Amino acid sequence: MSIPSTESWGKSVQKFNKVANCAILLFFTDDQPTVKLLDYSENATYLVESRITGQKNILRVCRPDYHKKSQIESELAWMRAIDQQSPIEVPVPVSGTNGEYVQSVKLENDPREYHCTMFTFLEGQAPDENNEQELIHQFEILGEITAHLHNHSQNWQEAQTLDREPWDYETILGENPKWGRWQDGVAITPERKKLFQEVSEVIKRRLEKFGKGPDRFGLIHADLRLANLLVEDNKIKVIDFDDCGFGWYLFDLGAALSFIEHKPYVPELVKAWVKGYRKVRPLSEEEEQEIPTFIMLRRLMLISWIGSRDNETAREMGSGYTEATDALAKDYLAKFR
């Protein structure tokens, strides 16, 4: 569910800022830290810095009505397990003064409840999509990291008990998808609608054939795009597990290519990712051949997201993203129709 269209981007940010200033009092008692907005997309994230020690943390104010408290608690449980049981570096959840990891805030004259979480701060910068050679190298590392993540997901016994929603065809491209319908996206003409509909139908058939076996479908990050990776000294750290849920493992590769699927260097990124992944975890030839399906699945999903959101990323992508999908759609149909 998106923030209501009747509420402007600016007013939404003002409201989140008020929530953030209330939330820090639930995590700190004797220290009034500074609070700076870092990003506003699905949620609002803030850099919180102690005036006394200089220690940094990340505060996330969750978009109301998107996840239940129990779902957020499940997300944080997986992050803690990854931190303790795998080589992947992730932010560690920080509990509030009452010992709870999820704190709730309500504002005056606003019936909605805002769930807030705190994390340790990680150093690093997002990969640069304009640095092709560096990005290819980083995708090999990302392939290894993703394989470790999938191994942990498959071997962690508590995974199946988590309260997280599925990311499958129905929830992504079905009749009532979580991020809205691609048919309601920006710049959807009758001709484009017909083209994308055929792509969607091919995706559905291929995913049904591909199946949801335990080696292919499980708990995934589901949003490993460049903005959710931090690079420091040839090491990649993973942040923002807000959309983690149960989906195809290869969807994590489709998500890693978010917003750059049409770039000419993508085949090299995929090749590097597969190479890195196979260093850690098996990937069959059949799975490798199906990668374009997951790239297209994510691409149509992002058209839905852009059409249903009011934030800087959605505005930046706009109609150009939909228009650039035409060539990808035609190429996909030529190969898989």
Side-chain angles (χ1 to χ4, degrees), residues 237-263:
K237 309 164 190 180
V238 179
I239 64 174
D240 194 357
F241 282 70
D242 180 51
D243 283 317
C244 71
F246 296 95
W248 288 280
Y249 289 129
L250 281 178
F251 185 78
D252 271 340
L253 173 54
L257 297 167
S258 293
F259 303 120
I260 60 172
E261 303 94 338
H262 56 286
K263 299 280 188 177

Side-chain angles (χ1 to χ4, degrees), residues 131-327:
N131 190 330
E132 178 177 341
Q133 290 306 311
E134 188 175 69
L135 198 58
I136 291 171
H137 172 67
Q138 290 164 346
F139 258 69
E140 184 174 338
I141 300 172
L142 179 60
E144 294 182 53
I145 291 171
T146 309
H148 281 298
L149 189 68
H150 295 167
N151 280 341
H152 184 270
S153 164
Q154 195 170 25
N155 296 326
W156 188 43
Q157 294 184 348
E158 294 179 43
Q160 297 304 317
T161 67
L162 297 188
D163 183 10
R164 298 299 300 185
E165 296 178 350
W167 288 114
D168 55 19
Y169 180 85
E170 287 305 314
T171 58
I172 297 174
L173 300 182
E175 293 299 318
N176 189 29
K178 286 193 285 187
W179 280 6
R181 301 166 69 249
W182 62 260
Q183 293 91 337
D184 300 324
V186 182
I188 298 294
T189 63
E191 296 78 15
R192 192 165 280 132
K193 183 176 181 180
K194 182 180 179 182
L195 173 64
F196 292 174
Q197 183 61 43
E198 185 175 0
V199 170
S200 180
E201 291 168 359
V202 172
I203 290 173
K204 183 178 182 180
R205 289 197 300 269
R206 295 195 68 85
L207 289 178
E208 287 173 349
K209 181 180 178 182
F210 190 72
K212 295 181 178 179
D215 290 335
R216 298 180 174 185
F217 193 97
L219 184 61
I220 60 173
H221 183 283
D223 196 18
L224 285 173
R225 59 194 177 100
L226 302 186
N228 291 333
L229 306 174
L230 294 175
V231 181
E232 183 187 30
D233 298 331
N234 207 37
K235 183 175 184 179
I236 297 179
K237 309 164 190 180
V238 179
I239 64 174
D240 194 357
F241 282 70
D242 180 51
D243 283 317
C244 71
F246 296 95
W248 288 280
Y249 289 129
L250 281 178
F251 185 78
D252 271 340
L253 173 54
L257 297 167
S258 293
F259 303 120
I260 60 172
E261 303 94 338
H262 56 286
K263 299 280 188 177
Y265 55 62
V266 163
E268 291 301 316
L269 297 185
V270 171
K271 183 178 178 181
W273 186 94
V274 169
K275 180 182 178 181
Y277 194 91
R278 283 180 170 150
K279 291 180 183 179
V280 177
R281 179 180 169 89
L283 186 74
S284 68
E285 291 298 324
E286 179 194 0
E287 289 171 298
E288 184 177 358
Q289 292 301 312
E290 207 59 61
I291 286 172
T293 293
F294 292 95
I295 295 175
M296 284 306 306
L297 176 67
R298 177 67 171 186
R299 183 82 181 194
L300 291 182
M301 180 186 188
L302 290 175
I303 290 175
S304 306
W305 184 85
I306 291 168
S308 62
R309 266 51 174 182
D310 179 18
N311 57 52
E312 289 180 341
T313 303
R315 292 178 178 183
E316 181 183 343
M317 295 294 111
S319 60
Y321 186 78
T322 302
E323 292 160 358
T325 307
D326 290 358

